[in-house]
C-alpha cells in the first residue's frame, strides 16, 4: 500500500495534533519538510537543496548506496530476535573490537546510544559495587531517566528533575571560557589542572561527605552538546587515574564523536595517546547511518562481573541481522573511502567582545536562521549560552563544502556586525 503524500500544511497540522509538543523541530519558526537525502545534501518538498552540516547520524552520507544495499538485502532474507545465532552479529562484533585497544574486547548490542549508556552504568555498578557517578557540567548522555540524572545539559533547565545525591558534576575542561582559563594560567598544564578538579570532587564530595567510593566517571571524549569542547592534553589521562584510584571505572561516550569523526583516530578517546584507556566505551547513532543500532564495548573483567549476577541480559532486537549488516557496511565505507580524511567536527563560538567574551546568543540564532534561508546551509547552535555554531556534517563533507560554508559564515558575520554598528 502506498503511503499518501501530504502538503506542507497537512504535515504541520497532523504533527500538532498527534505528536507531543515537547518534540522540538529544527527551525521551529519556519520548519523544513525534508523529503530526500543524498550524501551531504538534503532536499525539501519543493526540491530546494540544502548543504547538511547537522546530521552526524548519517555518518557516511545520506542514503549511501552500499549501506542501503546491505540493509535491503538482509531485510529480504531475515530479521529476527538476536537470541538466535546469526553470522552478522559476530562479524559486526569482531569488526568493532578490531578497531579498539586490545583490552576492550567484549560487545553488547543495543538499539540506541541512550540504551548503550544506560547499560554502561549497569555494568559499572555491578563491577564496582558502588553507586556514585561523576559527570561533566553541560554533558548530555541520553533521554532515559537514568541518563537525565547524569546529564546537566537537561538538569540545568528550569523544570528539570533534581540532581540525585549520588551524581557529582565536575567542571567542563573548557580552557577558553571555563572555570580555569588558559589565559590566566600561561605555561601550565591545563589538562592536569582540570583533572585535579575531579580529584578534589572525589575526595571531598564522594569520600568525605558520602563515605562512598566512585562507581564511574562518564564523559564524551569530545563534549558535543556542551559546546564542542576539545579536552586539553593530559585531562583524560589524569582523570582516569584518579577515578580508578577511588574504585571507579571510566566510561567513554563515543556516541557522537566515534567512528573516525575526529579525523586522526577512530575513537576520540585515543586523541591524547594510546595509554588513555577507558573500561567501557559506548557507541551509537553514526554506527547505523541512521538505522537504530548501538553497542557497548568493555573489558573481560567487567563483562565477567556482569555475568556473575546470574541475570541473563538480552535485548530482543539489539544486534539483529539487519542492524548488524548495516553497521558492518558503515564501517567498511569509512575504511574503503578514507572518510577520516574528510572528518569535520568543529565548534565556532560567537562573542560580542574579545575581552569580556560576552556570548553573542541572539546573533548566533540569526546566523543559524539566515544560513538556512539565504544560503541553503543547515547548521545548529549549542553550548550553555547557545552561542556555539555546531557543525557535525556527514563524513562525505568535502573541502569545497567547507569553503562554501566558510564564505557564507564570513559574509553573515560581517553583515550582522555592520548592522550592529549602524544601530549603535
Amino acid at each position: 500500500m502506498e503511503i499518501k503524500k501530504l502538503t506542507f500544511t497537512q504535515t504541520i497540522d497532523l504533527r500538532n495534533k498527534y505528536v507531543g509538543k515537547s518534540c522540538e523541530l529544527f527551525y521551529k519558526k519556519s520548519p523544513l519538510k525534508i523529503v530526500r537525502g543524498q550524501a551531504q545534501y538534503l532536499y525539501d518538498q519543493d526540491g530546494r537543496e540544502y548543504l547538511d552540516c547537522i546530521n552526524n547520524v548519517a555518518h557516511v552520507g545520506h542514503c549511501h548506496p552500499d549501506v542501503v544495499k546491505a540493509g535491503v538485502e538482509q531485510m529480504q532474507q531475515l530479521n529476527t530476535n538476536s537470541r538466535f545465532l546469526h553470522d552478522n552479529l559476530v562479524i559486526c562484533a569482531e569488526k568493532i573490537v578490531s578497531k579498539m585497544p586490545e583490552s576492550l574486547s567484549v560487545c553488547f548490542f543495543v538499539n540506541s546510544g541512550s540504551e548503550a549508556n544506560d547499560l554502561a552504568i549497569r555494568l559499572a555498578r555491578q563491577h564496582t559495587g558502588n553507586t556514585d557517578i561523576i559527570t561533566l557540567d553541560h554533558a548530555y548522555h541520553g533521554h532515559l531517566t537514568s541518563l537525565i540524572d547524569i546529564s546537566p545539559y537537561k538538569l540545568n533547565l528550569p523544570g528539570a528533575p533534581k540532581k540525585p545525591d549520588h551524581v557529582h558534576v565536575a567542571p567542563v575542561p573548557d580552557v577558553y571560557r571555563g572555570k580555569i582559563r588558559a589565559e590566566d594560567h600561561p605555561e601550565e598544564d591545563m589538562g592536569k589542572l582540570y583533572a585535579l578538579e575531579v580529584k578534589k570532587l572525589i575526595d571531598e564530595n564522594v569520600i568525605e561527605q558520602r563515605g562512598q567510593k566512585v562507581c564511574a566517571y562518564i564523559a564524551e571524549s569530545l563534549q558535543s552538546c556542551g559546546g564542542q569542547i576539545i579536552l586539553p592534553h593530559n585531562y583524560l589521562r589524569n582523570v582516569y587515574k584518579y577515578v580508578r584510584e577511588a574504585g571507579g571505572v571510566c566510561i567513554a561516550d563515543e556516541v557522537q564523536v566515534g567512528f573516525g569523526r575526529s579525523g586522526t583516530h577512530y575513537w576520540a578517546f585515543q586523541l591524547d595517546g594510546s595509554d588513555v584507556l577507558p573500561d567501557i566505551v559506548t557507541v551509537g547513532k553514526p554506527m547505523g547511518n541512521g538505522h537504530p543500532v548501538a553497542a557497548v564495548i568493555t573489558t573481560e573483567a567487567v563483562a565477567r562481573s556482569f555475568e556473575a549476577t546470574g541475570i541473563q541480559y538480552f535485548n530482543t532486537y539489539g544486534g539483529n541481522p539487519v542492524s548488524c549488516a548495516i553497521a558492518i557496511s558503515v564501517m567498511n565505507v569509512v575504511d574503503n573511502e578514507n572518510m577520516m580524511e574528510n572528518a569535520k567536527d568543529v565548534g565556532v563560538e560567537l562573542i560580542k567582545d574579545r575581552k569580556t567574551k560576552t556570548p553573542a546568543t541572539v546573533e548566533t540564532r540569526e546566523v543559524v536562521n539566515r544560513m538556512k534561508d539565504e544560503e541553503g546551509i543547515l547548521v545548529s547552535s549549542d553550548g550553555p549560552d547557545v552561542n556555539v555554531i555546531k557543525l557535525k556534517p556527514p563524513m562525505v563533507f568535502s573541502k569545497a563544502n567547507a569553503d562554501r560554508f566558510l564564505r557564507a559564515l564570513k559574509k553573515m558575520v560581517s553583515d550582522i556586525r555592520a548592522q550592529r554598528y549602524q544601530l549603535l
Side-chain angles (χ1 to χ4, degrees):
M1 183 181 71
E2 185 177 351
I3 299 175
K4 65 178 180 179
K5 293 183 179 180
L6 305 174
T7 65
F8 182 88
T9 301
Q10 287 174 324
T11 304
I12 288 287
D13 289 345
L14 288 175
R15 184 180 179 96
N16 289 336
K17 184 176 181 180
Y18 295 116
V19 178
K21 298 298 185 295
S22 57
C23 298
E24 192 172 355
L25 289 164
F26 285 126
Y27 311 104
K28 54 187 175 182
K29 289 187 177 179
S30 57
L32 289 173
K33 181 177 178 180
I34 298 298
V35 299
R36 185 168 69 89
Q38 186 64 48
Q40 63 269 52
Y41 299 99
L42 293 172
Y43 301 86
D44 67 14
Q45 78 281 358
D46 297 321
R48 184 182 180 186
E49 179 182 273
Y50 295 89
L51 178 61
D52 182 7
C53 301
I54 288 177
N55 278 291
N56 64 320
V57 179
H59 192 58
V60 297
H62 296 283
C63 301
H64 191 289
D66 291 356
V67 177
V68 172
K69 181 181 178 183
V72 169
E73 289 183 352
Q74 184 56 55
M75 201 176 296
Q76 290 174 332
Q77 295 176 12
L78 173 72
N79 199 28
T80 189
N81 195 305
S82 57
R83 296 175 80 184
F84 291 109
L85 277 173
H86 196 278
D87 290 351
N88 287 1
L89 186 147
V90 296
I91 292 170
C92 188
E94 182 182 43
K95 184 83 172 175
I96 294 175
V97 168
S98 74
K99 304 290 188 182
M100 290 283 173
E102 186 177 357
S103 59
L104 294 160
S105 59
V106 182
C107 290
F108 295 84
F109 286 99
V110 293
N111 299 290
S112 70
S114 290
E115 282 192 12
N117 281 332
D118 179 76
L119 178 57
I121 298 299
R122 286 182 61 190
L123 291 168
R125 284 178 173 159
Q126 179 58 34
H127 182 67
T128 64
N130 306 327
T131 58
D132 283 42
I133 296 170
I134 299 169
T135 187
L136 290 180
D137 202 7
H138 312 305
Y140 176 69
H141 294 292
H143 59 77
L144 302 182
T145 301
S146 62
L147 303 175
I148 296 297
D149 285 348
I150 59 170
S151 296
Y153 183 74
K154 296 294 185 182
L155 291 175
N156 290 342
L157 296 173
K162 181 183 176 182
K163 179 183 71 64
D165 291 340
H166 69 271
V167 175
H168 310 279
V169 180
V172 180
D174 180 355
V175 301
Y176 178 70
R177 68 158 63 247
K179 180 178 180 179
I180 307 170
R181 300 183 178 185
E183 63 187 8
D184 299 325
H185 297 269
E187 308 302 324
E188 293 192 61
D189 187 334
M190 297 301 294
K192 189 170 184 179
L193 289 179
Y194 266 110
L196 286 171
E197 291 290 312
V198 176
K199 188 178 189 306
K200 181 180 177 182
L201 188 153
I202 291 170
D203 293 343
E204 295 180 3
N205 292 52
V206 181
I207 296 174
E208 291 183 16
Q209 290 188 21
R210 284 178 52 81
Q212 302 290 320
K213 290 185 177 181
V214 175
C215 168
Y217 167 87
I218 183 170
E220 291 181 283
S221 306
L222 297 171
Q223 194 180 56
S224 52
C225 290
Q228 310 295 279
I229 306 301
I230 298 174
L231 307 184
H233 179 59
N234 283 330
Y235 176 71
L236 283 183
R237 178 177 288 106
N238 284 291
V239 167
Y240 283 8
K241 175 177 177 288
Y242 299 147
V243 168
R244 288 181 175 127
E245 288 174 349
V249 296
C250 303
I251 303 170
D253 181 339
E254 294 268 337
V255 170
Q256 295 204 53
V257 299
F259 294 96
R261 181 160 286 273
S262 68
T264 57
H265 295 77
Y266 208 81
W267 309 112
F269 68 77
Q270 298 172 318
L271 289 170
D272 210 21
S274 59
D275 60 318
V276 179
L277 290 171
D279 303 287
I280 303 171
V281 178
T282 59
V283 297
K285 293 179 179 178
M287 177 179 174
N289 216 50
H291 188 85
V293 58
V296 177
I297 305 92
T298 190
T299 64
E300 289 278 359
V302 172
R304 282 196 300 270
S305 295
F306 197 54
E307 181 185 0
T309 64
I311 301 172
Q312 294 182 349
Y313 177 79
F314 65 91
N315 188 310
T316 306
Y317 263 67
N320 66 73
V322 172
S323 294
C324 287
I326 289 172
I328 293 166
S329 180
V330 168
M331 288 184 278
N332 286 339
V333 169
V334 171
D335 292 342
N336 297 339
E337 299 186 15
N338 299 316
M339 287 196 170
M340 283 176 60
E341 296 178 8
N342 283 328
K344 306 289 180 184
D345 190 8
V346 180
V348 181
E349 180 168 337
L350 301 188
I351 55 175
K352 294 183 179 182
D353 184 279
R354 290 187 179 183
K355 290 184 178 180
T356 63
K357 298 180 181 177
T358 305
T361 302
V362 174
E363 292 82 354
T364 301
R365 186 185 309 118
E366 183 178 348
V367 167
V368 170
N369 289 326
R370 287 180 61 182
M371 288 285 271
K372 171 181 74 81
D373 296 335
E374 299 174 20
E375 303 291 339
I377 299 176
L378 306 182
V379 297
S380 59
S381 58
D382 221 322
D385 301 300
V386 201
N387 72 314
V388 176
I389 300 294
K390 187 173 182 178
L391 307 177
K392 46 179 187 176
M395 294 268 279
V396 288
F397 202 76
S398 67
K399 185 179 184 300
N401 296 146
D403 289 342
R404 176 185 167 190
F405 164 78
L406 289 171
R407 284 194 300 270
L409 180 64
K410 183 178 179 179
K411 175 180 179 294
M412 205 69 60
V413 171
S414 296
D415 289 350
I416 292 172
R417 183 185 289 121
Q419 181 184 32
R420 177 188 174 197
Y421 285 121
Q422 286 175 3
L423 291 174
L424 293 174

